[in-house]
């Protein structure tokens, strides 16, 4: 009997990755939450897009402000505005956070270290060279890899892609997971329970877990304890899904047919029991066909 950790290792080693050429979809960025990138992403934009100010203050020439001085204000540059002036010796431009640096200026003096009187700004303390200037391409250069293949897209990554104007993405399709339960005693939640019956809650739990982890559940419902019906369900599932999960039918009772059916369909059984309670009967099998899905039965 296998330990839980050994069984987990076997199952993970059986998983086959999706093909980055065949198993992909092109989707809109708004639909990309929790999807997996199938192709490395690049952008045509530099980050920052241009030299800009990291602070509200004054854009100056460093050589003019190595000691306290006063400068003529020649322009005001809010964010989103294209500067119209070239900062000359003895001049400064009022600038705000994120705004484009004007030509001629190479340093920003934060406003807390200045005093303004009409059209003059008094520099009260010398800044460092290029202080509070974010240079074009300092964070990312256009054409380089922005996000590698295999990254799961969460809100921070989606924000980065939006800023990079990546409106469409190549992502892996969602793995298809067929799910069914077996047992004559099972009924759906909407049925009135008769003596001896129980509600098939496992199928709902498994479907929710598949969705939570990014898969696409394919619900096949409740299959009765009938070898022909089970064989038909399994044969259908392995041709329509990447992974098949079933609940029930793998113990040693007279109505537990799953293992026999798997062998008759040519499956290789890797696991039949695990040292855990409850849940010791656990069958994991694969089918010897190209791109065959791992098949797990519990």
């Amino acid at each position: 009997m296998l330990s839980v950790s050994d069984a987990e290792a076997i199952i993970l080693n059986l998983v086959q990755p999706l093909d980055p050429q065949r198993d992909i979809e092109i989707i809109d960025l708004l639909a990309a939450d929790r999807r997996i990138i199938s192709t490395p992403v690049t952008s045509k934009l530099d980050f920052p897009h241009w030299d800009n100010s990291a602070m509200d203050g004054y854009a100056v020439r460093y050589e003019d402000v190595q000691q306290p001085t006063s400068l003529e204000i020649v322009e005001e540059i809010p964010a989103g505005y294209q500067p119209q002036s070239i900062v000359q010796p003895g001049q400064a431009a009022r600038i705000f956070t994120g705004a484009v640096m004007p030509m001629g200026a190479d340093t920003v003096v934060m406003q807390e270290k200045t005093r303004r009187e009409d059209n003059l700004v008094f520099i009260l303390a010398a800044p460092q060279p290029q202080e509070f200037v974010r240079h074009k391409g300092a964070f990312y250069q256009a054409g380089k890899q922005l996000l590698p293949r295999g990254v799961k897209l969460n809100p921070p990554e989606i924000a980065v892609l939006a800023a990079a104007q990546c409106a469409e993405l190549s992502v892996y399709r969602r793995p298809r997971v067929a799910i069914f339960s077996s047992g004559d005693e099972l009924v759906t939640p909407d049925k009135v329970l008769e003596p001896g019956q129980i509600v098939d809650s496992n199928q709902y739990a498994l479907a929710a877990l598949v969705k939570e982890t990014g898969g696409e559940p394919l619900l096949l419902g409740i299959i009765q304890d009938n070898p022909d019906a089970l064989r038909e369900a399994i044969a259908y599932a392995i041709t329509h899904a990447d992974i098949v999960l079933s609940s029930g039918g793998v113990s040693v009772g007279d109505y537990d047919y799953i293992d026999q059916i798997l062998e008759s369909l040519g499956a290789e059984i890797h696991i039949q029991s695990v040292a855990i309670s409850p849940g010791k009967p656990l069958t994991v099998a694969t089918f010897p066909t190209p791109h065959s899905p791992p098949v797990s039965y519990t």
Side-chain angles (χ1 to χ4, degrees):
M1 189 180 303
L2 291 171
S3 68
V4 172
S5 59
D6 287 344
E8 179 185 45
I10 290 172
I11 293 171
L12 293 177
N13 286 333
L14 291 173
V15 173
Q16 299 297 312
L18 295 173
D19 188 289
Q21 277 75 48
R22 186 183 66 250
D23 296 319
I24 64 170
E25 299 173 344
I26 305 299
I27 64 171
D28 185 89
L29 182 59
L30 286 173
D33 184 37
R34 293 182 294 175
R35 301 301 295 270
I36 308 296
I37 294 175
S38 63
T39 304
V41 177
T42 61
S43 174
K44 297 179 180 179
L45 301 175
D46 292 310
F47 286 88
H49 310 320
W50 46 75
D51 290 357
N52 70 89
S53 176
M55 193 69 64
D56 291 347
Y58 294 85
V60 300
R61 294 158 27 99
Y62 175 70
E63 61 188 278
D64 289 344
V65 294
Q66 297 180 44
Q67 59 187 5
T69 187
S70 63
L71 302 171
E72 178 191 7
I73 302 170
V74 295
E75 187 173 18
E76 183 170 295
I77 309 172
Y81 174 80
Q82 181 62 40
Q84 303 297 309
S85 301
I86 299 175
V87 175
Q88 303 290 348
Q91 294 181 339
R94 177 71 165 120
I95 197 166
F96 297 88
T97 303
V100 178
M101 287 289 292
M103 292 182 63
D106 56 17
T107 300
V108 172
V109 181
M110 63 189 301
Q111 66 182 30
E112 290 84 349
K113 295 183 179 180
T114 67
R115 178 171 55 85
R116 181 170 179 171
E117 293 184 8
D118 298 325
N119 204 38
L120 291 178
V121 58
F122 292 86
I123 308 300
L124 306 179
Q128 296 296 313
Q130 301 186 49
E131 191 169 21
F132 299 125
V133 175
R134 295 183 291 216
H135 292 284
K136 178 181 178 180
F139 305 148
Y140 170 80
Q141 290 80 49
K144 291 187 176 181
Q145 180 173 281
L146 183 62
L147 291 176
R149 182 174 67 192
V151 167
K152 183 179 180 181
L153 296 175
N154 293 311
E157 289 78 18
I158 289 176
V160 168
L161 293 171
Q165 294 188 320
C166 298
E168 289 187 333
L169 297 169
S170 175
V171 299
Y172 288 104
R173 64 172 175 81
R174 297 184 188 276
R176 292 183 292 272
V177 183
I179 304 171
F180 68 87
S181 300
S182 65
D184 292 340
E185 75 280 13
L186 299 176
V187 296
T188 56
D190 59 321
K191 303 296 184 183
V192 176
L193 286 178
E194 300 293 340
Q197 293 182 330
I198 60 174
V199 175
D200 175 24
S201 59
N202 285 357
Q203 188 157 185
Y204 289 81
L206 291 172
L209 287 168
V210 166
K211 287 183 179 180
E212 184 178 295
T213 54
E216 179 184 334
L218 173 62
L219 301 183
L220 302 183
I222 298 170
I223 311 300
Q224 299 302 306
D225 286 325
N226 176 287
D228 292 336
L230 286 167
R231 183 185 178 90
E232 182 180 349
I234 294 171
Y236 177 88
I238 63 178
T239 58
H240 288 79
D242 303 291
I243 301 170
V244 182
L245 301 176
S246 80
S247 176
V250 295
S251 190
V252 294
D254 291 345
Y255 297 95
D256 294 322
Y257 302 115
I258 295 291
D259 285 6
Q260 301 170 36
I261 294 171
L262 289 176
E263 290 176 343
S264 72
L265 291 172
E268 178 182 356
I269 295 178
H270 303 274
I271 299 174
Q272 288 185 293
S273 63
V274 179
I276 186 173
S277 181
K280 179 178 74 173
L282 171 68
T283 295
V284 176
T286 54
F287 287 84
T289 56
H291 315 302
S292 63
V295 183
S296 173
Y297 294 87
T298 61

